[in-house]
Amino acid sequence: MTREQAGATVRLQSGTEWVYAFRSQEDAATPPDEAVCAAAPFAPTVKLGAGLYVPAGGGDYERVGSATACFRLTDRAFTPGTQVPFYARFLLPVGAFTAVGECTLMSNDQPQAGVVLAGGTLKLVEVPPGFAGGMLSNLSVFNPLKLPGFATGSYYTLYTFRKEGPGTPSP
């Protein structure tokens, strides 16, 4: 397995398997793309825009893209165990990845009441040229009450496959 750079996004590569790891953080300067949420296979009740970041050394992060996340949240108590439909598009240096699936609400009181922890798995339904599908997982913090000291954001692992053969573009 090798560790390389694709644009500024760190990836791990083994044969045709490529794994990207990055962090998202909600960002008012990056509003959600309404067209992305309009394409969701459900009626979203929450739409978030975010910057995407990778470690840059010395504790700093480098912005490498943006994302729009759309989900259908109907349980405003954020009951642990609730399944939430999730649809998102990630714009990375190698192109756009779109994913759909569910996130499970894990906690609504850690590290304090009002902070929601969730995790999910999503299937890639749109990938850039040269890729052949895959999946995405996330560990997320949702701060719907805008409590101080907590950012809405996630850590993502995007697991995808490169197509092989002549004419396949390089990432």
Side-chain angles (χ1 to χ4, degrees):
M1 186 173 297
T2 61
R3 182 174 179 236
E4 301 180 26
Q5 294 283 3
T9 307
V10 176
R11 73 172 188 238
L12 298 175
Q13 177 187 357
S14 178
T16 61
E17 301 171 17
W18 289 34
V19 180
Y20 294 87
F22 51 90
R23 175 192 164 109
S24 71
Q25 186 164 336
E26 185 178 17
D27 179 3
T30 307
D33 181 340
E34 293 293 332
V36 170
C37 293
F42 53 85
T45 58
V46 178
K47 303 170 187 176
L48 300 172
L52 301 177
Y53 302 88
V54 295
D60 293 330
Y61 282 83
E62 174 185 354
R63 185 176 171 126
V64 294
S66 62
T68 294
C70 320
F71 49 101
R72 182 162 181 73
L73 186 60
T74 56
D75 177 3
R76 294 294 177 175
F78 308 106
T79 306
T82 300
Q83 299 282 314
V84 177
F86 194 85
Y87 185 80
R89 178 166 296 142
F90 303 88
L91 302 176
L92 294 167
V94 293
F97 292 87
T98 303
V100 65
E102 290 185 335
C103 289
T104 301
L105 303 182
M106 301 295 180
S107 171
N108 59 10
D109 63 358
Q110 290 183 19
Q112 76 179 57
V115 175
V116 180
L117 304 181
T121 55
L122 301 101
K123 177 182 179 181
L124 292 176
V125 294
E126 178 187 335
V127 295
F131 289 90
M135 61 188 155
L136 185 110
S137 64
N138 66 296
L139 297 173
S140 301
V141 174
F142 182 46
N143 185 2
L145 303 176
K146 307 291 185 207
L147 298 170
F150 303 99
T152 292
S154 303
Y155 282 91
Y156 287 97
T157 302
L158 189 157
Y159 194 105
T160 188
F161 301 89
R162 292 284 297 154
K163 292 180 181 177
E164 292 182 335
T168 300
S170 282

